[in-house]
Amino acid sequence: MLKKVVPCLAITLMLSTTQIYAADTNQAKIGKDLAYKVDRRDQGYRDTSAQLTMTIANKAGNSTVRKLRIDILEMENEGDRSLMVFDFPADIRGTSLLSHPKFEGNDEQWLYLPSIKRTKRISSRNKSGAFVGSEFSFEDLSDKNVEEFTYKHLGTVSCQISTIESNTFPSIDQTCEKLQRVPLDKHSGYSRQVLTIDSGSYRILTIDYYDVRGNLLKTLVSENFQLFDEKYWRPLRVVMTNVQTGKSTTLEYETLDFSIGLNEQHFKRSSLRH
Amino acid sequence: MGCVYEAAFSAPIQPKVDISYGVRHFSSPQIKQAPPASSERYRTSLYLSGELETNLEIDNYSFQGRLFANWDQNDEGRQYANIRQASTSARFDQFTLAGGVGTFFWGVSETINLLNTINQSDLSQSIDGKVKMGQSFISASYAFSDSQITLLHLPKFVELEYPDRPRSKLHIDQDNAIFEDRAGDGDFALRWESNLDLGEVAISLFQGTRRDPLLIPNALEHTTLIPYYLHTKYIAFDGLLFVGDAIIKSEMKHGQELDNNYYAFNLGVEYPTYPDSEYIQDITLIAEYLFDDREEYSETMGQKDIFFGGRGVLGQLGQIDLRTIMGIDLDNYSKYLDLSITHRLTDYIRWQGKGVWFIDVSKDDQRLSLIENEDFIEVSIHFAY
């Protein structure tokens, strides 16, 4: 009797393990496909130049305002390059961050501090550090490659999307996909991230960031989406809230221009000192 | 096609204005061994200063302007205005031609920059010469893919101005400065600089009048010093290397003055840390070693000195910048402490504090012993937009 039970249990266990494995594999495949759809949605924009206001607030409600420019250049075989330059307040004017994300190897980021006339490289170990006192880490500000994460599709949920141009995309209830991604980089400041992506246009609406201990650390919410060039959606308001400290950082776009003719020369290290 | 066309690389034209009101207080009321007229130097003084900066870029042409002015209640040497920058440039593919008045920065060191010698120092604003006066120039640059070479002609030499305080114990006769080479007007400099994956490197050449004069005793009046401007030429290297989180920095210089060869270098390291605290954004530890074999003829406060200290960004909103540096002369153990703080109160208003102390200054330290009683603190409130 026992001889019959053991093989039956073993077969049942193997079958259920295989089913779980197959389900996990399927969720991973759907998740990765979804990530590629989000990535492809944006292809072909060439470059953008934007002026933004950054508002940093603490739990007590005290806040400080910073004004900055962000130029981004679309790259083919590596992550999109970006150059951020602060114009306000006056005492940090000229502070600049240059990001060269790599598909292979570590991203390269350099921070120029005009007060000490020095360029600092952001090492991979410190990319979880706060950028100019904001709730954005250096890691958050670098373009992500699909292959930098493993994925798991968590399910389909209902969601709401706020858009500027309600005539082209009404602000109504939508269906969204919940996607979990786990960074492969051992130096990442996150154990996992959970994204909410609308099923129609593959816009990232929210990201929940979990710290290395697995606790929810920050939540990013993208709002006021606007369609540019009849193809590219951009949120004109992004809020990153640290749920552990109560601090938040809001980025609001004042201008956003596409395809103004930026090239690689604009994203060299020498541009940091301008 | 693009949504909106704008000239590429256009920079904001909004000018930056910084107006400050402050007070300086010296630890000692008068200076030992000073002539009678100088012994009544002030101890506390109010001051008002302002800086206006503007940039304009249209296609390949740009203009940069920066004007500084300071009024001091008691110090005539600090009642002045200076054009720090009023320069135009035009870019033709890889070539850039520029001219006007400019402020240049060469070097990588935190404490004493051996190479930053294009501009004359503004001792009224920085006892260590870090703040510079504007310098007339014409330049031509060529940009390679990852480097740039610049030839500079500096047509007009500006003498070093000494404020009433901080100042040497002995009177400095600025009106009767002596030049080794009277053809001092018309200096040349060449600099090649490159950004590497792992750091930055630059090689520089300079020929002309040394910005920092020797102070030689007047043979007739033993209480008076006369500035003596040497002719100098040097080749120099400066670079930094990113090693993990740390930055290793070096400035090296080999040159000729008074028919003698000399060499000098500054070797340092800085290491940033990011404590897991809401109230500390980052703290960078700094250590540097300076050697200059010109000894008493050196052009800085250091000859064989070690420096250590740090910089930090503090506060929940990163609104406080703190910096402190201690310098120790390894020959005679004279010490120099520099502490500064900037606290942004609102987006437009900040206060700054600074203190400089000279500790256990040896009579053998020819530079520091002249200003050993010039410890001071200053506090200022700034309005900037």
Side-chain angles (χ1 to χ4, degrees), chain A residues 34-263:
Chain A
L34 187 58
Y36 268 109
K37 284 175 182 170
V38 172
D39 192 53
R40 279 197 292 268
R41 173 208 66 182
D42 230 21
Q43 285 179 356
Y45 73 89
R46 292 194 286 197
D47 60 74
T48 62
S49 182
Q51 293 190 326
L52 301 94
T53 297
M54 174 188 277
T55 305
I56 305 171
N58 65 10
K59 192 175 183 178
N62 300 319
S63 65
T64 182
V65 172
R66 291 165 185 195
K67 292 187 181 294
L68 63 152
R69 291 167 278 148
I70 303 180
D71 294 339
I72 301 175
L73 179 68
E74 185 177 22
M75 303 293 289
E76 282 191 10
N77 298 316
E78 52 189 277
D80 296 346
R81 295 182 177 180
S82 64
L83 176 64
M84 305 174 67
V85 182
F86 281 83
D87 294 322
F88 180 87
D91 60 315
I92 64 162
R93 184 173 176 170
T95 299
S96 317
L97 177 71
L98 178 66
S99 299
H100 286 188
K102 303 289 183 187
F103 282 180
E104 293 180 7
N106 293 322
D107 294 350
E108 292 182 336
Q109 286 182 299
W110 298 275
L111 180 68
Y112 177 67
L113 300 169
S115 58
I116 57 170
K117 300 179 178 67
R118 180 79 41 72
T119 300
K120 294 167 64 176
R121 188 177 67 163
I122 307 303
S123 74
S124 55
R125 276 187 292 174
N126 281 330
K127 64 185 184 181
S128 58
F131 174 58
V132 294
S134 75
E135 289 311 306
F136 289 91
S137 67
F138 293 101
E139 180 178 2
D140 300 333
L141 298 169
S142 188
D143 187 35
K144 299 292 180 291
N145 174 23
V146 173
E147 298 294 336
E148 290 179 53
F149 301 89
T150 60
Y151 296 89
K152 186 177 183 182
H153 181 239
L154 300 179
T156 303
V157 296
S158 61
C159 59
Q160 279 200 321
I161 304 163
S162 71
T163 62
I164 293 290
E165 297 166 341
S166 57
N167 56 333
T168 57
F169 199 95
S171 177
I172 57 172
D173 291 340
Q174 299 281 319
T175 57
C176 286
E177 309 300 327
K178 282 283 188 183
L179 175 66
Q180 175 179 281
R181 63 184 187 188
V182 176
L184 296 173
D185 184 353
K186 64 181 180 183
H187 296 302
S188 173
Y190 309 117
S191 57
R192 65 189 175 106
Q193 300 167 15
V194 176
L195 293 74
T196 307
I197 300 162
D198 86 90
S199 311
S201 297
Y202 302 112
R203 290 165 292 188
I204 298 173
L205 307 181
T206 66
I207 305 178
D208 293 330
Y209 295 90
Y210 292 82
D211 64 21
V212 290
R213 290 180 285 274
N215 300 317
L216 181 61
L217 175 64
K218 298 187 295 188
T219 296
L220 179 123
V221 177
S222 300
E223 301 169 327
N224 300 353
F225 279 89
Q226 186 169 345
L227 189 62
F228 291 86
D229 275 7
E230 300 178 347
K231 187 178 178 185
Y232 307 111
W233 286 102
R234 290 290 185 275
L236 301 188
R237 187 169 191 270
V238 175
V239 184
M240 180 75 94
T241 304
N242 188 316
V243 298
Q244 295 183 3
T245 64
K247 290 171 64 183
S248 68
T249 300
T250 303
L251 282 173
E252 291 176 286
Y253 284 75
E254 293 171 359
T255 65
L256 176 57
D257 301 326
F258 278 68
S259 301
I260 64 166
L262 300 177
N263 56 35

Side-chain angles (χ1 to χ4, degrees), chain B residues 322-372:
Chain B
L322 196 63
R323 177 185 181 274
T324 182
I325 292 289
M326 166 76 91
I328 302 171
D329 187 312
L330 296 179
D331 282 327
N332 50 50
Y333 299 102
S334 300
K335 298 171 193 68
Y336 160 86
L337 177 64
D338 186 329
L339 177 66
S340 59
I341 183 171
T342 299
H343 183 185
R344 193 182 311 116
L345 301 171
T346 74
D347 293 332
Y348 297 94
I349 298 172
R350 69 183 191 277
W351 73 268
Q352 292 185 184
K354 181 179 177 65
V356 175
W357 293 269
F358 303 98
I359 305 159
D360 301 332
V361 174
S362 164
K363 287 184 169 41
D364 296 331
D365 193 318
Q366 295 201 12
R367 279 194 177 250
L368 286 188
S369 63
L370 287 172
I371 52 175
E372 63 175 321

